């Protein structure tokens, strides 16, 4: 943990250095994080860097360490003890702040008070992009003639019924944005806090004390997050009305990397948020992230659940919640807050809410070994393939060439075989076709037509953070490897300004060939390599394609490795991930969605990516 503290100081130093280059809020080291476990398939070095960068709070971690799921009686006893401690702590802090006298009635109703830190001491982030204490949104309530409350928009309320809204978060170093696009603050995403009824959150790194301030203290919340180093499944109270859930990870390897919110309101509205941001101030204040937000109406009367439905949005989200082990937490919440929980079971999303206006496809990765086509096609890059087909973006087998641009905050170890495996699914082509190709042919396939969008060292140095690329990772060993595809890299620059991005976004655009491919050896693998065709052999005939937004970095750990045969496939996935895929209509739509400048600048021969271990700030902090 000493290395963690060193790196936290390094990031703080980097932020302080940036203040001399641009007007920027006071620098802070990253907030307390939960410990991460090492990941598989050769990315242990990257994971070690990530652990050091996201400084762990030992005191916080000790309060949420894994333990066997408690029985009903012990669970309630634990909750009661937490509540007693919270009330006593609140009284002490309020008295110390001079809010109440020493002889205050001990029977006062402290449950109705907001946390003292929230009431007495504004958080630094409230002045910019983080949790805003003010009610920046408002709504009115009326009845629909049946006694049920319904929500009507006021001037300040933004509700996205008919179409999802995609925006970058409001980053301190790029406000106002150079591209003029609207942004999301966390307060705007949550909406009127008094209207919240029940919440399910998911985040890899979580500052519990920070995010707790964003909600009423009596609101029931389920928080799904990273397990400890053992990878053990666990459920326990984090705060009196907050249940913390960790799903299992095989051997402690991998990440619970999903980032989403399910916000249930008293009016019956459900807001679905698919995010690239962790629930930490660093992600919401100093870096840009991307959010996909859509509101869903509650049905006037529930419909029967269709057990055959597996690919619609609600069914896939149900599949995700089941695999994250959220079911027992929901059961406990029903016992503790029977009037607040709007669903009696996880599949209530399918029966009680109308997702017919949602056009995006949900794409999860579920950690584990998945065998057989029904299981393989529900997760990882085979699920991406299904989603591309479902939105009508697939051009057919042997269709036009795909240009894939993938931006992430972490770089994996890339082989030509895995990149072509992913590229095959990204075109919408069947994974069965991929497995039909002999393994020797797959291993020798040329590099596919992919741009890996990642910030160069010069871009990071020129940003508002200077050398503070705290949670952006590419290891020196990976970059300098003899067969690493450095020629695929392009620079990542925000369309908003001087900020760095923690966004994970893929843009797939189909191109049409103008020359035939006569003479291609029969039985060879068509990789659509960018080395096979000259630039004058292709032209963009339409910018029809797809976009992905979510938690997946461009790594095998996130998307999975496919093996086995076309008869019996096997997909091994290391992480839990979640994102959405939706169609892109034309070039204007592409430019509106893309968070990075397009066309991105190709790395020159002298370019290097931002490599944290080479940073002078990091070296200084670690005494090198």
């Amino acid at each position: 943990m000493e290395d963690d503290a060193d790196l936290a100081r390094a990031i703080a130093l980097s932020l302080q250095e940036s203040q001399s280059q641009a007007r920027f809020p006071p620098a802070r080291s990253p907030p307390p994080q939960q410990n991460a476990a090492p990941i598989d398939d050769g990315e242990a070095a990257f994971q070690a860097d990530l652990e050091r960068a996201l400084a762990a709070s030992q005191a916080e971690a000790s309060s949420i360490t894994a333990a066997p799921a408690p029985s009903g009686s012990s669970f309630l006893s634990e909750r009661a003890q937490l509540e007693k401690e919270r009330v006593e702590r609140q009284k002490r802090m309020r008295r110390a702040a001079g809010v109440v006298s020493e002889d205050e009635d001990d029977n006062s109703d402290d449950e109705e008070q907001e946390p003292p830190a929230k009431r007495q001491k504004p958080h630094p982030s409230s002045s910019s992009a983080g949790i805003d204490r003010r009610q920046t949104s408002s709504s009115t309530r009326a009845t629909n003639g049946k006694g049920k409350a319904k929500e009507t928009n006021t001037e300040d309320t933004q509700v996205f019924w008919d179409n999802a809204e995609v925006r970058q978060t409001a980053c301190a170093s790029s406000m106002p944005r150079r591209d003029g696009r609207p942004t999301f603050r966390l307060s705007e995403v949550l909406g009127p806090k008094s209207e919240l009824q029940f919440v399910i959150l998911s985040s890899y790194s979580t500052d519990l004390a920070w995010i707790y301030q964003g909600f009423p203290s009596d609101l029931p919340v389920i928080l799904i997050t990273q397990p400890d180093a053992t990878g053990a499944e666990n459920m326990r109270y984090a705060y009196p009305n907050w249940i913390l859930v960790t799903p299992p990870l095989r051997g402690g390897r991998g990440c619970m990397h999903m980032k989403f919110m399910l916000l249930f309101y008293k009016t019956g509205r459900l807001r679905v948020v698919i995010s690239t941001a962790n629930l930490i101030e660093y992600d919401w204040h100093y870096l840009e992230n991307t959010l996909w937000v859509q509101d869903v109406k509650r049905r006037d009367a529930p419909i029967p659940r269709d057990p055959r439905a597996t690919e619609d949005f609600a069914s896939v989200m149900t599949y995700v919640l089941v695999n994250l082990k959220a079911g027992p937490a929901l059961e406990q919440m029903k016992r503790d807050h029977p009037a607040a929980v709007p669903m009696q079971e996880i599949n209530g999303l399918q029966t009680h809410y109308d997702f017919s206006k949602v056009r995006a496809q949900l794409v999860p990765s579920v950690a584990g070994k998945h065998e057989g086509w029904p299981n393989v096609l529900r997760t990882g890059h085979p699920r991406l393939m299904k989603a591309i087909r479902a939105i009508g973006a697939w051009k057919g087998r042997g269709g036009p060439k795909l240009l894939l641009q993938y931006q992430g905050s972490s770089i994996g170890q890339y082989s030509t075989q895995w990149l072509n495996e992913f590229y095959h699914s990204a075109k919408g082509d069947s994974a069965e076709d991929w497995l039909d190709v002999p393994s020797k042919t797959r291993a020798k396939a040329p590099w596919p037509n992919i741009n890996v969008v990642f910030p160069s060292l010069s871009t990071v140095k020129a940003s508002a953070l200077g050398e503070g690329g705290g949670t952006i990772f590419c290891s020196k060993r990976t970059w300098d490897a003899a067969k690493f595809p450095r020629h695929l890299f392009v620079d990542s620059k925000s369309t908003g300004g001087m900020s760095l991005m923690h966004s994970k976004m893929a843009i797939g655009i189909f191109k049409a060939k103008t020359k035939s491919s006569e003479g291609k050896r029969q039985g060879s693998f068509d990789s659509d390599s960018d080395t096979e065709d000259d630039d004058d052999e292709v032209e963009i005939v339409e910018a029809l394609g797809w976009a992905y937004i979510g938690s997946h970095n461009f790594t095998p750990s996130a998307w999975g490795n496919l093996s086995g045969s076309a008869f019996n496939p096997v997909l091994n996935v290391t992480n839990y991930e979640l994102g959405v895929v939706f169609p892109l209509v034309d070039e204007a739509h592409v430019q509106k969605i893309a968070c990075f400048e397009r066309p991105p600048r190709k790395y020159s021969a002298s370019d290097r990516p931002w490599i944290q271990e080479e940073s002078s700030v990091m070296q200084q902090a670690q005494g090198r």
Side-chain angles (χ1 to χ4, degrees), residues 2-3 8 48 142 164 182-183 252 296 301 312 322 387 395 567 585:
E2 183 176 348
D3 288 343
T183 59
V296 176
D312 62 284
V322 168
K395 298 303 181 182
F567 177 75
V585 178

Side-chain angles (χ1 to χ4, degrees), residues 135-203:
Q135 287 287 95
T136 57
S137 299
S138 61
S139 67
T140 58
R141 302 179 69 188
T143 60
N144 60 6
K146 301 179 182 179
K148 177 182 175 182
K150 67 178 182 178
E151 197 161 30
T152 58
N153 293 357
T154 68
E155 183 179 353
D156 297 328
T157 302
Q158 288 187 297
V159 181
F160 309 107
W161 296 120
D162 296 327
N163 295 288
E165 183 75 1
V166 175
R167 297 182 188 177
Q168 295 299 100
T169 54
C171 182
S173 57
S174 60
M175 293 300 291
R177 288 182 63 88
R178 183 174 59 203
D179 56 18
R181 298 182 193 174
T183 59
F184 276 128
R185 287 180 167 82
L186 185 53
S187 58
E188 295 167 336
V189 174
L190 299 179
K193 298 170 189 176
S194 62
E195 289 297 314
L196 284 167
Q197 180 178 358
F198 174 59
V199 171
I200 300 177
L201 304 173
S202 179
S203 174

Side-chain angles (χ1 to χ4, degrees), residues 52-107:
R52 287 193 295 270
L54 299 176
S57 167
Q58 295 187 47
E60 186 70 32
S62 65
S63 70
I64 54 175
T65 51
S71 64
S73 59
S74 64
F75 208 70
L76 291 174
S77 175
E78 180 185 65
R79 178 177 181 269
Q81 181 61 29
L82 281 168
E83 174 63 12
K84 180 180 178 181
E85 292 172 358
R86 184 192 72 82
V87 170
E88 291 302 318
R89 183 169 60 252
Q90 186 178 59
K91 288 180 180 179
R92 288 195 302 269
M93 294 181 71
R94 291 173 66 209
R95 286 168 179 163
V99 178
V100 294
S101 62
E102 288 294 332
D103 58 352
E104 178 185 55
D105 182 6
D106 287 341
N107 294 321

